[in-house]
Amino acid sequence: METSKILIGYLIYLPITILLTYFVSRTLFKNGKIFMLDIFKGKEGIANATNRLFEVGFYLLNLGWALLILKFEDNQFNNTYQNLIEILSAKIGGFSMYLGAMLFLNVFLFFRGRKKSTSTIQATTNA
């Protein structure tokens, strides 16, 4: 594939994956703060710090994955814009599915942390 089409592909792919990652991360960790406050029994300092660390890790994992799958193979293209769009849709669609899985994994971890925190409180009050 000619270099200009590959460059166009990069210029489309990168902003979309970065914006998707930013949107999902902001939504998850803005709402995850409530879970963190519950898990850490209202201790706002540690809840905010932990939530921020999860957010940074989320950015690193997802942007790292987006960059890792960035490469367009020359043998994938038959030198048409239609082919470029099809490959971009597969890459962005796959990345979106990966991001959704990461979102649900984080929500699962929030719920698991909340459950552990609640069971610890119950064990303490029963003792």
Side-chain angles (χ1 to χ4, degrees), residues 19-127:
L19 287 172
L20 275 172
T21 302
Y22 177 77
F23 173 73
V24 171
S25 178
R26 292 302 318 145
T27 302
L28 177 64
F29 293 102
K30 184 177 89 175
N31 296 309
K33 182 178 178 182
I34 296 166
F35 287 99
M36 289 295 181
L37 284 169
D38 190 34
I39 291 167
F40 291 108
K41 301 166 188 70
K43 296 177 184 173
E44 195 166 342
I46 194 159
N48 287 336
T50 304
N51 197 41
R52 188 71 180 143
L53 289 171
F54 270 110
E55 184 177 11
V56 169
F58 188 85
Y59 279 125
L60 290 172
L61 279 172
N62 293 306
L63 291 175
W65 182 252
L67 293 171
L68 192 65
I69 65 171
L70 171 68
K71 185 175 182 181
F72 293 109
E73 299 291 335
D74 281 337
N75 60 358
Q76 290 178 312
F77 294 99
N78 61 9
N79 221 10
T80 66
Y81 285 107
Q82 175 186 352
N83 196 251
L84 174 63
I85 296 299
E86 290 169 357
I87 290 169
L88 278 171
S89 69
K91 282 190 175 287
I92 293 169
F95 181 73
S96 296
M97 291 170 55
Y98 164 79
L99 226 101
M102 291 300 291
L103 171 73
F104 286 118
L105 174 65
N106 275 277
V107 170
F108 170 76
L109 292 174
F110 286 149
F111 277 116
R112 185 170 176 197
R114 185 172 185 272
K115 184 179 178 182
K116 286 227 181 234
S117 173
T118 305
S119 66
T120 303
I121 292 170
Q122 289 175 351
T124 306
T125 57
N126 291 338

